[in-house]
Amino acid sequence: LEPGIHAPQARRRPSGMGGCESCVRSRRKDVAADLALATAQGNLPALRLAIEKADGIGVDSSPARQRYAELARRERQSFDQVEEMLFWGMNSQDGIILFGVIEDIRTFAPNHALLPEAWAKLQGLRNEIRRRMRRVAFNRDAKGLSAALDSARRMGIQESELAPAEEELHALSEAQAAER
């Protein structure tokens, strides 16, 4: 081009709706549909790819991420690891940990041969916490009773069974407040 002569300007699309925005909206719908399908199918590699695509285009992938985490956890906790997890839970001497392990394993291996042994161990630990609740209630230890009740709940002891200890805790708390 000679000096002073300019190349013609490329035509620009007016800003606003249409054109590229329509394409982006269409791509978002496609990615969201792919994400929903991958979430429903439960295929970890496909779900991971769909999540990455969704994140790249700004589509909310929270439910798919939760599903991915659940599937990955289940895959990690295969039948080979179930026995190891149960032994670890039983050897921990902690009813809260053992209850959590049992609950996890019941979701994907409900008939595992070691579950009855783990349940028996948990019952022993639950009986210990019941004795502890009676002892601290007898000693009028509201703080100790509160802690024992919390542990008992986290071990899966039913609320109906804990109601008398709750009433005792309430009475102890009221008596201590009246003394102040």
Side-chain angles (χ1 to χ4, degrees):
L1 291 174
E2 295 179 292
I5 300 179
H6 301 288
Q9 293 285 329
R11 291 189 124 184
R12 293 185 184 166
R13 287 192 176 190
S15 61
M17 297 302 278
C20 283
E21 289 181 28
S22 176
C23 294
V24 169
R25 216 177 13 252
S26 178
R27 262 186 274 139
R28 285 179 148 215
K29 285 181 182 177
D30 290 344
V31 168
D34 290 346
L35 185 62
L37 180 63
T39 301
Q41 290 175 338
N43 178 315
L44 280 175
L47 184 53
R48 182 175 174 186
L49 182 63
I51 289 170
E52 289 172 359
K53 283 182 181 178
D55 288 345
I57 199 165
V59 172
D60 179 28
S61 63
S62 301
R65 285 180 176 280
Q66 290 174 340
R67 175 80 169 136
Y68 183 87
E70 173 67 21
L71 291 170
R73 182 181 63 81
R74 285 185 180 176
E75 187 173 281
R76 283 191 308 271
Q77 296 174 343
S78 66
F79 277 96
D80 297 338
Q81 295 174 328
V82 169
E83 195 168 298
E84 182 180 327
M85 288 174 59
L86 280 169
F87 279 126
W88 172 76
M90 287 187 285
N91 290 329
S92 72
Q93 297 297 315
D94 184 325
I96 297 167
I97 290 173
L98 181 55
F99 179 71
V101 168
I102 289 170
E103 288 297 297
D104 281 349
I105 290 172
R106 284 180 51 199
T107 61
F108 63 92
N111 298 319
H112 193 278
L114 284 177
L115 272 175
E117 183 180 341
W119 271 111
K121 177 71 174 175
L122 179 61
Q123 288 307 322
L125 294 169
R126 284 175 169 176
N127 288 336
E128 285 179 26
I129 199 69
R130 288 176 182 111
R131 284 191 295 273
R132 184 171 146 215
M133 284 190 302
R134 284 192 297 273
R135 185 177 63 250
V136 295
F138 179 78
N139 292 334
R140 308 197 48 78
D141 178 3
K143 190 174 182 180
L145 183 55
S146 177
L149 274 164
D150 183 52
S151 293
R153 279 189 192 91
R154 293 173 58 203
M155 283 186 207
I157 295 177
Q158 299 296 314
E159 286 294 324
S160 59
E161 185 180 342
L162 299 176
E166 275 292 343
E167 291 171 11
E168 180 67 24
L169 176 61
H170 183 72
L172 285 173
S173 297
E174 284 182 350
Q176 287 177 354
E179 291 173 2
R180 292 181 195 168

